[in-house]
Amino acid sequence: QVQLVESGGGLVQPGGSLTLSCAASGSTFSINVRGWYRQAPGKQRELVATITGGGRTTYADSVKGRFTISSGNDMVYLKMNSLKPEDTAVYYCNALTAVTSYWGQGTQVTVSS
C-alpha cells in the first residue's frame, strides 16, 4: 500500500506561481512512476506531468514550458509558473506501481483575479 498526501494548493492571480507537494509513505519502493493529474469542474481528470524513477518526465502540451515536475526523498513536486485561469482544478498526486495506481485526496488550485 502507498499513501499520498498533497499540499500547496490555493488561490493565485493569473501569471502567478504555486508549488504543489506530495508526500508518499508506505511501500514507496514499489512506485515506478509518480505524477500529477487535474480535474476541472465538469471535465474529466487529465494528466499534467509524470516522472519516472530514472528522472524521465512527460508533460501535457497545455503546461509545457510553464510547469516543472521533480521528485526526491519520497516527495514529488509540481512547480507551476505563469498560471492561467484555465489551470483552475483539483490537482491529484498519483503513484503507479506494477500492479495498481494510488491517488491522493487532491488539492484545489484556483487561478483568478
XYZ file of all heavy atoms in Angstrom:
835
model
N 0.835 -1.196 0.000
C 0.000 0.000 0.000
C 0.870 1.246 0.000
O 1.940 1.266 0.606
C -0.919 0.018 1.233
C -1.943 -1.081 1.279
C -3.071 -0.848 0.307
O -3.446 0.281 0.037
N -3.611 -1.931 -0.248
N 0.369 2.245 -0.684
C 1.042 3.545 -0.739
C 0.025 4.614 -0.357
O -1.110 4.594 -0.836
C 1.599 3.832 -2.148
C 2.139 5.255 -2.238
C 2.687 2.816 -2.517
N 0.437 5.524 0.494
C -0.408 6.647 0.863
C 0.212 7.932 0.294
O 1.430 8.112 0.344
C -0.545 6.775 2.382
C -1.262 5.603 3.047
C -0.371 4.380 3.202
O 0.786 4.486 3.592
N -0.922 3.196 2.911
N -0.660 8.791 -0.222
C -0.212 10.046 -0.834
C -0.952 11.208 -0.204
O -2.182 11.162 -0.081
C -0.470 10.025 -2.335
C 0.180 8.887 -3.130
C -0.351 8.880 -4.558
C 1.682 9.019 -3.120
N -0.220 12.243 0.175
C -0.834 13.433 0.766
C -0.308 14.666 0.041
O 0.899 14.933 0.064
C -0.535 13.531 2.266
C -1.160 14.804 2.838
C -1.061 12.299 3.001
N -1.231 15.402 -0.578
C -0.855 16.621 -1.297
C -0.959 17.844 -0.397
O -1.736 17.859 0.562
C -1.761 16.851 -2.520
C -1.791 15.725 -3.526
C -3.029 14.889 -3.408
O -3.587 14.810 -2.293
O -3.470 14.288 -4.426
N -0.216 18.873 -0.764
C -0.317 20.165 -0.099
C 0.145 21.244 -1.071
O 0.762 20.947 -2.101
C 0.529 20.199 1.172
O 1.896 19.972 0.871
N -0.177 22.489 -0.731
C 0.334 23.602 -1.507
C -0.658 24.291 -2.411
O -0.322 25.284 -3.060
N -1.889 23.796 -2.473
C -2.878 24.459 -3.315
C -3.326 25.778 -2.719
O -2.962 26.134 -1.589
N -4.103 26.521 -3.506
C -4.613 27.790 -3.014
C -5.086 28.673 -4.134
O -5.261 28.239 -5.272
N -5.287 29.938 -3.786
C -5.749 30.946 -4.736
C -4.553 31.778 -5.197
O -3.767 32.249 -4.361
C -6.792 31.839 -4.082
C -7.272 33.053 -4.872
C -8.003 32.614 -6.136
C -8.171 33.926 -3.996
N -4.417 31.946 -6.498
C -3.314 32.726 -7.050
C -3.824 33.543 -8.229
O -4.763 33.123 -8.926
C -2.149 31.798 -7.472
C -2.590 30.838 -8.566
C -0.931 32.582 -7.891
N -3.233 34.697 -8.436
C -3.637 35.544 -9.550
C -3.056 35.037 -10.863
O -2.004 34.367 -10.867
C -3.174 36.979 -9.302
C -3.878 37.676 -8.157
C -3.500 39.142 -8.068
O -2.501 39.584 -8.607
N -4.333 39.908 -7.377
N -3.707 35.337 -11.971
C -3.149 34.962 -13.272
C -1.722 35.494 -13.423
O -1.431 36.635 -13.044
C -4.102 35.622 -14.266
C -5.402 35.690 -13.533
C -5.032 35.971 -12.102
N -0.859 34.643 -13.961
C 0.546 34.993 -14.098
C 1.394 34.635 -12.895
O 2.628 34.725 -12.947
N 0.746 34.227 -11.823
C 1.459 33.890 -10.607
C 2.022 32.483 -10.608
O 1.901 31.746 -11.600
N 2.623 32.131 -9.476
C 3.259 30.822 -9.342
C 2.774 30.117 -8.081
O 2.346 30.769 -7.118
C 4.786 30.977 -9.269
O 5.303 31.552 -10.445
N 2.874 28.804 -8.132
C 2.472 27.975 -7.000
C 3.238 26.666 -7.100
O 3.488 26.183 -8.220
C 0.967 27.707 -7.064
C 0.181 27.433 -5.791
C 0.303 28.591 -4.811
C -1.300 27.211 -6.155
N 3.603 26.110 -5.963
C 4.253 24.806 -5.947
C 3.432 23.826 -5.131
O 3.128 24.096 -3.966
C 5.676 24.901 -5.369
O 6.476 25.758 -6.192
C 6.327 23.522 -5.339
N 3.100 22.711 -5.750
C 2.393 21.632 -5.066
C 3.402 20.584 -4.598
O 4.401 20.330 -5.277
C 1.375 20.979 -5.994
C 0.349 21.897 -6.638
C -0.625 21.082 -7.505
C -0.400 22.699 -5.612
N 3.099 19.989 -3.447
C 3.945 18.929 -2.909
C 3.091 17.699 -2.641
O 1.915 17.810 -2.319
C 4.606 19.371 -1.601
O 5.384 20.534 -1.794
N 3.713 16.546 -2.754
C 3.034 15.289 -2.467
C 4.000 14.389 -1.716
O 5.089 14.081 -2.211
C 2.574 14.615 -3.749
S 1.854 12.972 -3.513
N 3.579 13.982 -0.526
C 4.389 13.095 0.296
C 3.863 11.674 0.182
O 2.670 11.440 0.381
C 4.355 13.554 1.745
N 4.751 10.760 -0.139
C 4.388 9.349 -0.250
C 4.902 8.592 0.957
O 6.000 8.860 1.461
C 4.968 8.752 -1.529
N 4.102 7.643 1.423
C 4.523 6.786 2.526
C 4.015 5.367 2.272
O 3.188 5.146 1.391
C 4.001 7.317 3.860
O 2.598 7.372 3.859
N 4.507 4.442 3.041
C 4.133 3.047 2.842
C 5.155 2.331 1.974
O 6.349 2.540 2.113
N 4.669 1.532 1.043
C 5.545 0.730 0.180
C 6.048 1.546 -1.002
O 5.819 1.212 -2.169
C 4.800 -0.510 -0.308
O 4.357 -1.296 0.786
N 6.758 2.608 -0.710
C 7.179 3.537 -1.763
C 8.215 2.918 -2.699
O 8.399 3.394 -3.811
C 7.730 4.830 -1.163
O 8.832 4.509 -0.315
C 6.665 5.559 -0.365
N 8.870 1.840 -2.243
C 9.854 1.179 -3.093
C 9.204 0.591 -4.348
O 9.874 0.343 -5.346
C 10.540 0.047 -2.325
C 9.594 -1.028 -1.870
C 9.273 -2.099 -2.697
C 8.993 -0.961 -0.624
C 8.390 -3.083 -2.285
C 8.104 -1.938 -0.197
C 7.801 -2.988 -1.029
N 7.885 0.394 -4.282
C 7.181 -0.228 -5.399
C 6.736 0.768 -6.472
O 6.226 0.373 -7.516
C 5.933 -0.972 -4.887
O 5.012 -0.072 -4.312
N 6.949 2.041 -6.202
C 6.486 3.069 -7.144
C 7.416 3.139 -8.351
O 8.627 3.293 -8.201
C 6.397 4.445 -6.468
C 5.403 4.402 -5.309
C 5.993 5.508 -7.490
C 5.377 5.673 -4.485
N 6.840 3.060 -9.539
C 7.612 3.171 -10.780
C 7.515 4.569 -11.387
O 8.496 5.091 -11.922
C 7.114 2.156 -11.806
C 7.377 0.736 -11.361
O 8.390 0.452 -10.716
N 6.460 -0.166 -11.675
N 6.327 5.137 -11.318
C 6.091 6.457 -11.912
C 5.264 7.286 -10.940
O 4.296 6.788 -10.362
C 5.344 6.354 -13.261
C 5.147 7.739 -13.876
C 6.086 5.443 -14.223
N 5.652 8.536 -10.771
C 4.885 9.480 -9.954
C 4.369 10.568 -10.879
O 5.032 10.922 -11.858
C 5.770 10.085 -8.864
C 6.387 9.049 -7.938
C 7.461 9.673 -7.065
N 8.277 8.662 -6.412
C 8.121 8.268 -5.157
N 7.173 8.819 -4.416
N 8.897 7.339 -4.639
N 3.196 11.072 -10.531
C 2.649 12.078 -11.429
C 1.628 12.978 -10.784
O 1.236 12.781 -9.631
N 1.251 13.984 -11.545
C 0.197 14.911 -11.174
C -0.878 14.894 -12.257
O -0.569 14.918 -13.452
C 0.745 16.327 -11.029
C 1.598 16.518 -9.830
C 2.959 16.446 -9.765
C 1.155 16.810 -8.502
N 3.391 16.666 -8.492
C 2.301 16.904 -7.683
C -0.088 17.022 -7.911
C 2.234 17.188 -6.321
C -0.155 17.300 -6.569
C 0.990 17.383 -5.784
N -2.121 14.848 -11.813
C -3.278 14.948 -12.676
C -4.147 16.073 -12.150
O -3.976 16.517 -11.017
C -4.064 13.636 -12.676
C -3.359 12.486 -13.361
C -2.235 11.899 -12.801
C -3.826 11.984 -14.580
C -1.580 10.847 -13.442
C -3.191 10.935 -15.210
C -2.067 10.370 -14.634
O -1.429 9.339 -15.277
N -5.102 16.517 -12.971
C -6.016 17.547 -12.509
C -7.401 17.315 -13.085
O -7.556 16.699 -14.140
C -5.517 18.941 -12.883
C -5.485 19.235 -14.367
C -4.832 20.591 -14.623
N -4.815 20.934 -16.053
C -4.186 21.999 -16.550
N -3.521 22.821 -15.732
N -4.221 22.224 -17.846
N -8.384 17.831 -12.370
C -9.762 17.714 -12.819
C -10.481 19.020 -12.557
O -10.617 19.446 -11.402
C -10.484 16.566 -12.106
C -11.858 16.281 -12.660
C -12.405 14.952 -12.161
O -11.938 14.377 -11.183
N -13.422 14.443 -12.854
N -10.907 19.648 -13.635
C -11.670 20.879 -13.550
C -13.154 20.534 -13.471
O -13.571 19.446 -13.902
C -11.389 21.753 -14.762
N -13.978 21.445 -12.948
C -15.417 21.173 -12.847
C -16.032 20.810 -14.191
O -15.809 21.502 -15.186
C -15.982 22.488 -12.308
C -14.845 23.120 -11.578
C -13.618 22.744 -12.349
N -16.753 19.713 -14.218
C -17.427 19.298 -15.436
C -16.534 18.646 -16.471
O -16.995 18.342 -17.584
N -15.264 18.429 -16.120
C -14.332 17.826 -17.074
C -13.745 16.545 -16.509
O -13.786 16.302 -15.315
C -13.211 18.813 -17.415
C -13.681 20.050 -18.155
C -12.495 20.886 -18.626
C -12.957 22.086 -19.433
N -11.804 22.887 -19.916
N -13.171 15.752 -17.408
C -12.521 14.522 -16.971
C -11.149 14.823 -16.379
O -10.525 15.846 -16.688
C -12.368 13.570 -18.163
C -13.678 12.980 -18.660
C -13.462 11.888 -19.683
O -12.473 11.907 -20.419
N -14.371 10.936 -19.749
N -10.700 13.924 -15.533
C -9.358 14.046 -14.977
C -8.341 13.887 -16.102
O -8.474 12.997 -16.946
C -9.123 12.980 -13.896
C -7.886 13.186 -13.079
C -7.821 12.215 -11.904
N -8.939 12.405 -10.973
C -9.013 11.795 -9.805
N -8.057 10.948 -9.423
N -10.050 12.000 -9.008
N -7.325 14.751 -16.100
C -6.330 14.714 -17.158
C -4.925 14.712 -16.587
O -4.665 15.246 -15.508
C -6.489 15.923 -18.098
C -6.264 17.261 -17.443
C -6.352 18.429 -18.420
O -6.623 18.215 -19.613
O -6.123 19.573 -17.977
N -4.018 14.124 -17.351
C -2.623 14.089 -16.950
C -2.003 15.471 -17.067
O -2.243 16.188 -18.051
C -1.867 13.096 -17.826
C -0.375 12.899 -17.547
C 0.030 11.458 -17.832
C 0.482 13.829 -18.395
N -1.224 15.836 -16.064
C -0.483 17.092 -16.107
C 0.998 16.811 -16.369
O 1.587 17.359 -17.295
C -0.637 17.879 -14.797
C 0.218 19.140 -14.829
C -2.103 18.220 -14.540
N 1.591 15.951 -15.552
C 3.014 15.647 -15.684
C 3.325 14.353 -14.959
O 2.660 14.009 -13.976
C 3.873 16.775 -15.125
N 4.337 13.633 -15.444
C 4.808 12.430 -14.764
C 6.330 12.428 -14.719
O 6.999 13.104 -15.523
C 4.347 11.144 -15.477
O 4.919 11.097 -16.782
C 2.836 11.063 -15.569
N 6.854 11.647 -13.779
C 8.294 11.491 -13.653
C 8.584 10.054 -13.245
O 7.938 9.515 -12.355
C 8.899 12.510 -12.660
C 10.421 12.417 -12.651
C 8.317 12.342 -11.263
C 11.082 13.604 -11.940
N 9.555 9.433 -13.902
C 9.926 8.063 -13.577
C 11.010 8.054 -12.501
O 11.576 9.094 -12.153
C 10.465 7.340 -14.817
O 11.728 7.920 -15.192
C 9.495 7.430 -15.980
N 11.305 6.868 -12.014
C 12.371 6.740 -11.023
C 13.718 7.180 -11.572
O 14.580 7.645 -10.825
N 13.866 7.074 -12.886
C 15.103 7.500 -13.524
C 15.139 8.975 -13.875
O 16.133 9.455 -14.433
N 14.034 9.664 -13.575
C 14.003 11.101 -13.803
C 13.437 11.541 -15.136
O 13.450 12.729 -15.462
N 12.921 10.593 -15.922
C 12.340 10.985 -17.211
C 10.966 11.620 -16.979
O 10.154 11.087 -16.232
C 12.215 9.767 -18.119
C 11.700 10.086 -19.511
C 11.953 8.929 -20.457
N 11.385 7.683 -19.961
C 11.604 6.510 -20.547
N 12.387 6.436 -21.620
N 11.063 5.415 -20.063
N 10.728 12.730 -17.628
C 9.488 13.482 -17.404
C 8.643 13.564 -18.667
O 9.167 13.515 -19.791
C 9.794 14.904 -16.926
O 10.614 15.572 -17.892
C 10.517 14.898 -15.590
N 7.343 13.683 -18.466
C 6.413 13.962 -19.550
C 5.463 15.050 -19.072
O 5.188 15.160 -17.867
C 5.597 12.729 -19.967
O 4.841 12.275 -18.839
C 6.502 11.594 -20.436
N 4.981 15.844 -20.011
C 4.081 16.947 -19.685
C 2.936 17.004 -20.694
O 3.111 16.699 -21.876
C 4.827 18.287 -19.736
C 5.886 18.447 -18.689
C 7.209 18.116 -18.961
C 5.570 18.928 -17.416
C 8.195 18.258 -17.999
C 6.552 19.083 -16.445
C 7.858 18.737 -16.738
O 8.834 18.879 -15.777
N 1.792 17.450 -20.203
C 0.702 17.771 -21.108
C 1.122 18.983 -21.941
O 1.830 19.868 -21.446
C -0.565 18.080 -20.318
N 0.663 19.032 -23.163
C 1.024 20.155 -24.037
C 0.619 21.491 -23.426
O 1.311 22.497 -23.602
C 0.363 19.989 -25.410
C 1.002 18.892 -26.235
O 2.138 18.470 -25.918
O 0.363 18.443 -27.199
N -0.482 21.500 -22.711
C -1.016 22.745 -22.161
C -0.156 23.342 -21.058
O -0.313 24.518 -20.718
C -2.437 22.517 -21.637
O -2.439 21.526 -20.628
N 0.759 22.545 -20.498
C 1.577 23.055 -19.388
C 3.065 23.075 -19.704
O 3.862 23.556 -18.892
C 1.344 22.236 -18.096
C -0.140 22.193 -17.752
C 1.940 20.843 -18.197
N 3.443 22.579 -20.865
C 4.866 22.559 -21.237
C 5.456 23.964 -21.203
O 4.849 24.909 -21.717
C 5.036 21.957 -22.632
C 4.982 20.449 -22.660
C 5.174 19.910 -24.074
C 5.076 18.405 -24.101
N 5.178 17.849 -25.482
N 6.615 24.079 -20.598
C 7.283 25.369 -20.501
C 6.835 26.213 -19.324
O 7.456 27.228 -19.010
N 5.752 25.798 -18.671
C 5.246 26.554 -17.518
C 5.343 25.751 -16.213
O 5.575 26.315 -15.153
C 3.783 26.949 -17.744
C 3.558 27.820 -18.953
C 2.111 28.359 -19.001
N 1.122 27.298 -19.105
C 0.143 27.110 -18.222
N 0.021 27.892 -17.175
N -0.729 26.115 -18.405
N 5.133 24.448 -16.301
C 5.150 23.579 -15.121
C 6.395 22.713 -15.134
O 6.876 22.298 -16.194
C 3.923 22.664 -15.105
C 2.616 23.345 -14.866
C 2.475 24.718 -14.906
C 1.486 22.581 -14.586
C 1.260 25.341 -14.690
C 0.257 23.175 -14.353
C 0.140 24.555 -14.417
N 6.894 22.403 -13.926
C 8.050 21.517 -13.785
C 7.776 20.499 -12.693
O 7.453 20.878 -11.564
C 9.317 22.304 -13.445
O 9.563 23.291 -14.450
C 10.517 21.375 -13.365
N 7.925 19.234 -13.025
C 7.766 18.169 -12.039
C 9.146 17.719 -11.585
O 10.097 17.650 -12.382
C 6.951 16.979 -12.610
C 6.614 15.975 -11.511
C 7.686 16.321 -13.782
C 5.624 14.895 -11.949
N 9.256 17.429 -10.295
C 10.506 16.918 -9.741
C 10.175 15.987 -8.588
O 9.052 15.987 -8.065
C 11.411 18.063 -9.280
O 10.788 18.813 -8.259
N 11.158 15.200 -8.179
C 10.914 14.249 -7.095
C 12.197 13.974 -6.334
O 13.300 14.226 -6.829
C 10.340 12.949 -7.645
O 11.289 12.284 -8.457
N 12.030 13.444 -5.123
C 13.168 13.088 -4.295
C 12.719 12.809 -2.884
O 11.771 13.443 -2.405
N 13.341 11.860 -2.231
C 13.026 11.555 -0.827
C 11.539 11.288 -0.619
O 10.925 11.801 0.328
C 13.483 12.694 0.089
C 14.984 12.853 0.091
O 15.724 11.882 -0.032
N 15.439 14.089 0.188
N 10.963 10.504 -1.507
C 9.546 10.128 -1.432
C 8.612 11.322 -1.524
O 7.469 11.272 -1.033
C 9.251 9.321 -0.161
C 9.770 7.898 -0.260
O 9.829 7.370 -1.396
O 10.111 7.315 0.779
N 9.080 12.395 -2.115
C 8.257 13.560 -2.392
C 8.204 13.758 -3.904
O 9.139 13.420 -4.621
C 8.849 14.815 -1.758
C 8.933 14.801 -0.249
S 7.319 14.949 0.553
C 6.833 16.595 0.042
N 7.095 14.313 -4.361
C 7.019 14.758 -5.748
C 6.430 16.163 -5.734
O 5.518 16.454 -4.959
C 6.199 13.793 -6.632
C 4.780 13.644 -6.143
C 6.240 14.226 -8.089
N 7.009 17.028 -6.554
C 6.636 18.434 -6.572
C 6.144 18.828 -7.964
O 6.546 18.256 -8.971
C 7.839 19.307 -6.208
C 8.475 18.942 -4.900
C 9.577 18.087 -4.847
C 7.987 19.456 -3.694
C 10.167 17.748 -3.646
C 8.576 19.116 -2.488
C 9.664 18.263 -2.465
O 10.248 17.937 -1.279
N 5.307 19.837 -7.983
C 4.878 20.428 -9.238
C 5.008 21.940 -9.093
O 4.226 22.576 -8.397
C 3.439 20.042 -9.589
C 2.979 20.498 -10.961
C 3.724 19.737 -12.059
C 1.471 20.307 -11.127
N 6.014 22.490 -9.750
C 6.228 23.925 -9.759
C 5.458 24.498 -10.936
O 5.683 24.119 -12.080
C 7.715 24.234 -9.905
C 8.034 25.712 -10.112
C 7.712 26.557 -8.905
C 8.218 27.981 -9.094
N 7.806 28.864 -7.961
N 4.521 25.400 -10.631
C 3.651 25.953 -11.655
C 3.897 27.444 -11.796
O 3.719 28.193 -10.823
C 2.183 25.691 -11.293
C 1.873 24.218 -11.053
S 0.135 23.896 -10.706
C -0.029 24.665 -9.102
N 4.329 27.856 -12.962
C 4.570 29.264 -13.259
C 3.584 29.755 -14.318
O 2.967 28.957 -15.023
C 5.998 29.460 -13.775
C 7.048 29.167 -12.728
O 6.862 29.426 -11.544
N 8.166 28.608 -13.165
N 3.492 31.058 -14.432
C 2.629 31.678 -15.453
C 1.237 31.053 -15.452
O 0.703 30.683 -16.504
C 3.281 31.529 -16.837
O 4.556 32.108 -16.857
N 0.658 30.965 -14.294
C -0.644 30.296 -14.166
C -1.736 31.063 -14.892
O -1.746 32.302 -14.932
C -0.988 30.104 -12.699
C -0.248 28.955 -12.028
C -0.262 29.099 -10.515
C -0.868 27.620 -12.442
N -2.664 30.289 -15.462
C -3.780 30.837 -16.215
C -5.088 30.421 -15.555
O -5.129 29.393 -14.859
C -3.755 30.299 -17.648
C -2.457 30.524 -18.388
C -2.489 29.842 -19.742
C -1.177 30.031 -20.492
N -1.193 29.357 -21.814
N -6.158 31.154 -15.787
C -7.456 30.746 -15.213
C -7.841 29.321 -15.599
O -8.455 28.609 -14.794
C -8.426 31.772 -15.801
C -7.587 32.992 -15.997
C -6.242 32.469 -16.434
N -7.457 28.888 -16.778
C -7.792 27.525 -17.210
C -6.992 26.448 -16.487
O -7.251 25.259 -16.675
C -7.615 27.366 -18.729
C -6.284 27.849 -19.264
C -6.351 29.267 -19.808
O -6.981 30.145 -19.169
O -5.754 29.493 -20.882
N -6.030 26.839 -15.659
C -5.319 25.876 -14.824
C -6.101 25.573 -13.541
O -5.693 24.700 -12.765
C -3.937 26.405 -14.448
C -3.011 26.545 -15.642
O -3.014 25.631 -16.502
O -2.293 27.558 -15.722
N -7.190 26.283 -13.318
C -8.011 26.045 -12.134
C -8.570 24.628 -12.144
O -9.184 24.197 -13.121
C -9.165 27.054 -12.078
O -8.634 28.369 -11.899
C -10.114 26.736 -10.934
N -8.308 23.896 -11.067
C -8.740 22.497 -10.986
C -8.348 21.940 -9.625
O -7.606 22.577 -8.868
C -8.071 21.666 -12.086
N -8.836 20.750 -9.346
C -8.311 19.971 -8.232
C -7.146 19.155 -8.777
O -7.296 18.449 -9.782
C -9.378 19.050 -7.624
C -8.762 18.208 -6.501
C -10.550 19.866 -7.096
N -6.006 19.271 -8.138
C -4.799 18.578 -8.571
C -4.572 17.350 -7.693
O -4.595 17.443 -6.464
C -3.596 19.514 -8.507
C -3.579 20.504 -9.646
C -4.503 21.539 -9.709
C -2.643 20.398 -10.682
C -4.512 22.432 -10.778
C -2.632 21.291 -11.736
C -3.568 22.300 -11.782
O -3.568 23.190 -12.837
N -4.343 16.226 -8.353
C -4.176 14.949 -7.662
C -2.782 14.392 -7.895
O -2.281 14.377 -9.024
C -5.187 13.928 -8.163
C -6.624 14.267 -7.880
C -7.380 14.985 -8.789
C -7.234 13.868 -6.687
C -8.707 15.306 -8.537
C -8.562 14.178 -6.428
C -9.281 14.895 -7.352
O -10.594 15.213 -7.089
N -2.190 13.899 -6.838
C -0.925 13.190 -6.920
C -1.218 11.725 -7.235
O -2.211 11.156 -6.748
C -0.204 13.317 -5.579
S 1.388 12.502 -5.464
N -0.358 11.113 -8.024
C -0.550 9.725 -8.426
C 0.749 8.954 -8.302
O 1.828 9.483 -8.589
C -1.051 9.665 -9.862
C -1.153 8.248 -10.392
O -0.228 7.724 -11.008
N -2.281 7.611 -10.132
N 0.636 7.711 -7.881
C 1.794 6.815 -7.827
C 1.425 5.514 -8.518
O 0.415 4.894 -8.175
C 2.205 6.547 -6.389
N 2.215 5.149 -9.495
C 1.932 3.955 -10.297
C 2.949 2.863 -9.982
O 4.151 3.086 -10.082
C 2.004 4.320 -11.780
C 1.669 3.216 -12.773
C 0.211 2.810 -12.635
C 1.957 3.680 -14.189
N 2.425 1.687 -9.575
C 3.286 0.534 -9.360
C 3.065 -0.468 -10.485
O 2.313 -0.203 -11.418
C 2.993 -0.113 -8.007
O 1.720 -0.777 -8.068
C 2.961 0.916 -6.878
N 3.649 -1.628 -10.359
C 3.487 -2.644 -11.395
C 2.079 -3.225 -11.417
O 1.648 -3.789 -12.426
C 4.509 -3.759 -11.199
N 1.355 -3.059 -10.318
C 0.055 -3.728 -10.227
C -1.119 -2.782 -10.020
O -2.261 -3.159 -10.263
C 0.049 -4.783 -9.103
C 1.023 -5.903 -9.426
C 0.383 -4.163 -7.758
N -0.876 -1.565 -9.574
C -2.004 -0.687 -9.292
C -1.573 0.759 -9.291
O -0.394 1.081 -9.431
C -2.664 -1.068 -7.956
O -3.928 -0.404 -7.861
C -1.801 -0.652 -6.775
N -2.568 1.615 -9.136
C -2.344 3.065 -9.128
C -2.939 3.631 -7.847
O -4.046 3.269 -7.453
C -3.029 3.684 -10.356
O -2.833 5.063 -10.413
N -2.207 4.525 -7.208
C -2.667 5.159 -5.987
C -2.904 6.652 -6.226
O -2.200 7.276 -7.017
C -1.635 4.989 -4.866
C -1.418 3.555 -4.467
C -0.407 2.795 -5.046
C -2.219 2.952 -3.493
C -0.195 1.477 -4.676
C -2.017 1.641 -3.126
C -1.007 0.902 -3.720
O -0.808 -0.411 -3.353
N -3.868 7.199 -5.475
C -4.220 8.605 -5.618
C -4.240 9.301 -4.264
O -4.617 8.698 -3.261
C -5.601 8.749 -6.254
C -5.679 8.241 -7.652
C -6.046 6.992 -8.058
C -5.375 8.968 -8.843
N -5.985 6.894 -9.424
C -5.580 8.094 -9.932
C -4.939 10.268 -9.106
C -5.372 8.487 -11.263
C -4.742 10.651 -10.410
C -4.949 9.773 -11.478
N -3.860 10.568 -4.276
C -4.038 11.399 -3.109
C -5.460 11.934 -3.072
O -6.274 11.663 -3.958
N -5.735 12.750 -2.061
C -7.096 13.271 -1.877
C -7.365 14.499 -2.727
O -8.518 14.884 -2.890
C -7.328 13.599 -0.395
C -6.767 14.944 0.071
C -5.266 14.956 0.229
O -4.591 13.930 0.119
N -4.719 16.136 0.522
N -6.311 15.089 -3.265
C -6.467 16.253 -4.132
C -6.283 17.561 -3.382
O -6.548 17.657 -2.184
N -5.828 18.563 -4.112
C -5.673 19.899 -3.559
C -6.168 20.910 -4.590
O -5.866 20.799 -5.782
C -4.203 20.179 -3.149
O -4.122 21.450 -2.506
C -3.260 20.157 -4.335
N -6.955 21.867 -4.144
C -7.589 22.824 -5.054
C -6.615 23.932 -5.442
O -5.961 24.535 -4.578
C -8.816 23.440 -4.393
C -9.502 24.519 -5.217
C -10.220 23.971 -6.430
O -10.929 22.969 -6.342
N -10.057 24.613 -7.585
N -6.536 24.195 -6.726
C -5.794 25.340 -7.248
C -6.783 26.225 -7.997
O -7.462 25.761 -8.917
C -4.658 24.898 -8.190
C -4.024 26.112 -8.873
C -3.610 24.112 -7.425
N -6.859 27.475 -7.592
C -7.756 28.432 -8.231
C -6.943 29.612 -8.729
O -6.217 30.242 -7.953
C -8.835 28.915 -7.258
O -9.575 27.798 -6.774
C -9.782 29.881 -7.951
N -7.049 29.876 -10.018
C -6.333 30.995 -10.634
C -7.367 32.043 -11.016
O -8.173 31.841 -11.936
C -5.534 30.547 -11.864
C -4.715 31.724 -12.407
C -4.631 29.374 -11.522
N -7.342 33.148 -10.303
C -8.370 34.168 -10.503
C -7.878 35.501 -9.973
O -7.119 35.561 -9.003
C -9.663 33.771 -9.787
O -10.618 34.805 -9.877
N -8.340 36.553 -10.620
C -8.003 37.888 -10.139
C -9.101 38.415 -9.211
O -9.002 39.524 -8.691
C -7.808 38.840 -11.316
O -8.951 38.842 -12.156
